[in-house]
Amino acid sequence: MISAHSSVKVAKHPLIQNALTQLRDYRTPSSEFRRLSLQLSRLLIYEAMVGLSAKEIGVETPMGPGKGVVLTDYVILAPVLRAGLVLSEAAQDLFPGARIYHVGLRRDEETLKAISYYSKLPEKLPAESSVFILDPMLATGGSAVAAISLFSNLKVQSIHLVSFLSAPEGIKHVQENFPNVQITTGAIDDHLNEHGYIVPGLGDAGDRIFGT
Ligand code: PRP
Ligand code: URA
């Protein structure tokens, strides 16, 4: 059962669902998979960043003074290597000023536990930081929980998790450990198989994005 505490947003926009369906299709070749992944990433980042803070400013247009807004959050992107790089590429397009902290995690194929192989975080981050953990697949949730743990003691303003697809098991795992994390995902699928893959899912995201 998915708890009502943590906010889970399933992004139902038809462009998102259309891209996701093409990604699910086993016939979609790697080049197309990568293009669609970037497209889906942009749309999901847009949905996930809807709550960013902004303040009013004045702006001089060619016609004279006007009013506008400027974003005030300190945005941090935390792509989980390797598949999260595609979400990070899209997010940088939308938010060129974002700071990026890569998180190297790989799932042990036998135990399904996340093993950390890279992270280089500062001891402190600005209090107004909004951290976006980026990983296309939320399966058992082991990788997401490990990535969130890296930021959870740094007293940031908010932590978000953005995924293409989630398994109910992964959402539950994140909610049990970090009820305040806001999850934005394209779909919540049926279940995990005995190898920890999301069913129906889309297969191995990293392998399909990078053609390996
Ligand atoms: C995949 C995926 C997530 C993780 C999800 O990465 O990109 O990081 O599995 O599974 P979990 O929720 O059960 O932890 P993988 O370890 O295959 O590494 P890769 O991105 O380098 O292929
Ligand atoms: N990682 C993937 O790439 N796909 C899954 O279905 C689960 C974990």
Side-chain angles (χ1 to χ4, degrees):
M1 222 251 321
I2 290 164
S3 132
H5 298 304
S6 131
S7 94
V8 181
K9 177 175 177 182
V10 180
K12 300 272 190 201
H13 195 292
L15 284 173
I16 289 178
Q17 295 306 319
N18 182 63
L20 193 50
T21 305
Q22 292 179 70
L23 288 174
R24 288 182 188 278
D25 192 330
Y26 76 97
R27 294 166 302 185
T28 302
S30 224
S31 53
E32 183 62 1
F33 193 91
R34 197 174 141 64
R35 187 190 69 76
L36 287 161
S37 293
L38 269 171
Q39 186 187 344
L40 176 60
S41 295
R42 273 188 211 104
L43 297 165
L44 285 169
I45 296 286
Y46 177 85
E47 294 272 3
M49 289 192 173
V50 75
L52 285 184
S53 321
K55 69 170 183 206
E56 276 200 11
I57 55 160
V59 59
E60 282 296 323
T61 82
M63 313 305 291
K67 279 193 191 140
V69 296
V70 67
L71 294 170
T72 52
D73 281 12
Y74 186 93
V75 173
I76 292 179
L77 307 175
V80 177
L81 302 175
R82 32 181 197 156
L85 287 172
V86 71
L87 274 153
S88 167
E89 191 176 330
Q92 285 172 73
D93 254 9
L94 292 170
F95 207 105
R99 272 65 174 183
I100 304 164
Y101 291 103
H102 295 90
V103 178
L105 290 169
R106 106 184 141 70
R107 212 168 62 146
D108 181 289
E109 283 179 16
E110 303 265 301
T111 64
L112 299 183
K113 297 256 178 297
I115 299 169
S116 165
Y117 61 87
Y118 180 83
S119 83
K120 210 171 162 193
L121 262 61
E123 281 177 11
K124 247 181 118 184
L125 286 168
E128 66 275 24
S129 297
S130 287
V131 178
F132 291 83
I133 309 237
L134 308 174
D135 192 333
M137 308 305 275
L138 175 57
T140 65
S143 304
V145 166
I148 296 165
S149 303
L150 295 172
F151 291 91
S152 60
N153 289 328
L154 292 178
K155 297 202 172 63
V156 294
Q157 177 172 272
S158 61
I159 301 182
H160 309 251
L161 176 65
V162 187
S163 72
F164 291 3
L165 275 181
S166 302
E169 294 90 332
I171 290 189
K172 187 163 176 271
H173 193 178
V174 171
Q175 287 182 327
E176 281 171 358
N177 286 276
F178 298 107
N180 294 325
V181 166
Q182 297 170 39
I183 302 173
T184 301
T185 190
I188 302 175
D189 274 12
D190 196 59
H191 66 281
L192 292 177
N193 71 10
E194 66 276 26
H195 305 294
Y197 275 80
I198 301 174
V199 181
L202 53 73
D204 189 308
D207 282 354
R208 294 193 70 190
I209 290 167
F210 297 108
T212 52

